[in-house]
Amino acid sequence: MKSTDLQSGAGRIRRALEHLELAWAEATQEWNDEASRAFQEHHLEPMIPVVKISLDAIGRMDSLLREAQRDCEK
């Protein structure tokens, strides 16, 4: 049976989120006006918690899939 690998994709998502947060922090040092605040409020603030919740769900799903795979190999 082929092994599942959700952690590789989750790692890429996690690194992308970290990169986004660092890039945004850097950008706001130069871009700090109403448009930047609107972008942050309408796009970044709603997205970041959803991504973090999704990463937690991926971790739980990975654990369940690994357990199911072990059970099937018995």
Side-chain angles (χ1 to χ4, degrees):
M1 177 182 275
K2 185 178 177 185
S3 176
T4 61
D5 180 20
L6 298 180
Q7 290 303 314
S8 293
R12 288 191 301 272
I13 293 169
R14 191 173 288 107
R15 286 187 299 277
L17 180 60
E18 290 169 359
H19 179 74
L20 173 63
E21 290 176 317
L22 288 172
W24 182 249
E26 193 174 301
T28 57
Q29 292 177 6
E30 300 293 325
W31 185 35
N32 189 11
D33 62 6
E34 185 59 35
S36 72
R37 288 186 289 279
F39 179 81
Q40 181 171 350
E41 180 183 340
H42 295 289
H43 299 286
L44 295 178
E45 288 176 359
M47 179 188 63
I48 290 173
V50 170
V51 171
K52 289 180 178 180
I53 289 168
S54 299
L55 288 170
D56 288 342
I58 290 169
R60 289 190 309 274
M61 178 66 78
D62 184 62
S63 177
L64 289 170
L65 288 172
R66 289 177 191 273
E67 183 180 338
Q69 184 175 359
R70 282 190 305 272
D71 289 348
C72 289
E73 291 173 351
K74 289 181 182 179

